[in-house]
């Protein structure tokens, strides 16, 4: 049953005109009244009709792109590629769509807020990028939002993110983070490394868990014990990589390799090793993940797993615009490629 503006007004105990004023933001309303109206909107999951120009259509010209951090090249590359594919027949402004990049900052609450806002604006498509937060309540809430978006005619695509429940009908282009993590550690083991430190990302992210599982799979396959003391969690940024490497060296001065959660973290690890008087790869090898543009220009160039971020983003954009047909709920796994460069070598013989 469709929730109406009158239903919201009744729940908030105000007039329909007051609800309209709060939602349109074009008239001063007391803070307590505004809060009561917005609470009623959330409780009833009321969907605003959006711009008048979109009233005759099932959806608007708006496309939402959710990212964790637009300043991170991982997300910037995908968002740019998605936007490059947004256009074509159906838009009311020369065929173009309006792309809105929503920066969640890793906040589960903000992710849900953006999905709600895009639902209210009758977005033509929504693309969620990167790993998901591993929290049962949040996952259930997101699945509910995605289901409602699809039911309203919005195309939903997950890019570099684990699949949503099948009944959401969201298309998923998921990265093989576990396989890539295993490849990196297999490479180091093949060179002779046994004492490897691992700098993992935030514990609540799916990307973190999958890459760490790949590392542990490789250790187990070669009978190498997984020492919990050699894993440190942190953010996906350079500072976290620096601080985690200093901590790993404190815990294990005999460390011969560092596996970083991503390339940005790996740069921080390299800086910490140099500041500690260690050479790369002569004393300690370093590997990253993603193959971001700066990786090949690092000194030495970084061994990493290349993910086709631009290609994946472009494909997500085409699916979102209906220019590439994929069955509802379809899943495609995108595998990475090991790029061996100068940051890895055999450990010194003691």
């Amino acid at each position: 049953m469709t929730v109406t503006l009158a239903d919201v007004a009744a729940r908030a105990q105000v007039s329909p005109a007051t609800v309209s004023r709060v939602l349109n933001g074009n008239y001063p309303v007391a803070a307590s009244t505004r809060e009561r109206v917005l609470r009623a909107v959330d409780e009833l999951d009321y969907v605003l009709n959006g711009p008048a120009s979109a009233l005759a259509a099932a959806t608007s010209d708006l496309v939402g792109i959710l990212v964790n951090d637009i300043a991170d090249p991982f997300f910037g590359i995908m968002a740019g590629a998605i936007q490059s594919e947004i256009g074509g027949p159906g838009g009311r402004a020369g065929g173009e769509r309006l792309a809105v990049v929503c920066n969640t900052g890793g906040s589960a609450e903000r992710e849900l807020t953006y999905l709600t806002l895009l639902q209210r604006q009758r977005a033509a498509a929504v693309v969620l990028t990167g790993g998901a937060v591993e929290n049962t309540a949040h996952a259930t809430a997101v699945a509910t939002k995605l289901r409602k978006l699809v039911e309203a005619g919005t195309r939903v695509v997950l890019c570099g993110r684990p699949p949503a429940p099948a009944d959401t009908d969201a298309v998923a282009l998921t990265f093989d983070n576990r396989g890539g993590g295993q490849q990196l550690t297999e490479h180091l083991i093949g060179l002779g490394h046994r004492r490897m430190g691992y700098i993992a990302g935030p514990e609540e992210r799916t990307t973190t868990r999958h890459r760490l599982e790949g590392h542990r799979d490789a250790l187990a396959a070669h009978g190498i014990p997984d020492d919990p003391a050699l894993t440190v969690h942190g953010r996906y940024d350079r500072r976290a990589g620096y601080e985690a490497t200093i901590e790993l060296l404190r815990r294990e001065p005999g460390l011969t390799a560092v596996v970083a959660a991503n390339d940005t973290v790996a740069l921080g690890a390299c800086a910490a090793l140099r500041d500690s008087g260690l050479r790369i790869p002569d004393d300690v090898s370093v590997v990253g993940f993603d193959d971001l543009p700066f990786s090949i220009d690092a000194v030495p160039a970084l061994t990493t797993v290349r993910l086709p971020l631009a290609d994946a983003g472009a494909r997500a954009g085409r699916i979102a615009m209906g220019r590439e047909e994929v069955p509802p709920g379809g899943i495609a796994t995108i595998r990475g490629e090991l790029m061996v460069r100068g940051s890895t070598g055999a450990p010194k013989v003691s």
Side-chain angles (χ1 to χ4, degrees), residues 57-189:
T59 59
S60 67
D61 286 332
L62 185 69
V63 175
I65 304 170
L66 272 66
V67 301
N68 189 334
D69 181 6
I70 195 62
D72 184 333
F74 177 92
F75 294 100
I77 291 168
M78 282 195 291
I82 292 165
Q83 185 167 1
S84 71
E85 295 291 334
I86 293 172
R92 286 179 290 281
E96 293 299 318
R97 304 278 183 166
L98 175 63
V100 176
V101 178
C102 306
N103 199 90
T104 68
S107 165
E109 184 178 77
R110 198 173 301 169
E111 182 174 76
L112 285 171
T113 297
Y114 282 133
L115 289 175
T116 299
L117 292 172
L118 290 166
Q119 180 189 5
R120 291 175 184 170
Q121 293 298 318
R122 298 172 179 256
V126 173
V127 183
L128 293 87
T129 66
V133 175
E134 295 207 294
N135 175 283
T136 302
H138 177 68
T140 299
V142 168
T144 299
K145 287 292 182 187
L146 299 186
R147 202 173 292 113
K148 290 186 176 182
L149 282 162
V150 172
E151 288 171 355
T154 299
R155 288 191 177 91
V156 176
V157 184
L158 311 179
C159 184
R161 187 179 178 111
D167 66 349
T168 64
D169 283 344
V171 173
L173 304 177
T174 181
F175 294 140
D176 182 17
N177 286 305
R178 185 169 184 162
Q182 185 168 354
Q183 276 186 295
L184 285 167
T185 301
E186 290 276 5
H187 169 65
L188 291 171
I189 292 172

Side-chain angles (χ1 to χ4, degrees), residues 7-71:
D7 294 328
V8 175
R11 173 66 69 93
Q13 297 183 320
V14 297
S15 69
T18 298
V19 175
S20 181
R21 288 166 182 166
V22 170
L23 295 180
N24 291 326
N26 58 2
Y27 193 89
V29 177
S32 59
T33 301
R34 181 177 182 277
E35 182 178 352
R36 201 161 68 247
V37 169
L38 293 178
R39 185 165 59 247
V41 166
D42 285 340
E43 290 172 353
L44 295 173
D45 205 18
Y46 174 66
V47 180
L48 186 65
N49 276 342
S53 62
L55 287 177
T59 59
S60 67
D61 286 332
L62 185 69
V63 175
I65 304 170
L66 272 66
V67 301
N68 189 334
D69 181 6
I70 195 62

Side-chain angles (χ1 to χ4, degrees), residues 184 258-263 266 286-291 302-305 343:
L184 285 167
V258 172
V259 182
N262 68 8
D263 294 341
V286 178
V287 298
F289 206 117
D290 297 333
D291 196 26
L302 191 61
T303 293
T304 185
V305 164
S343 68

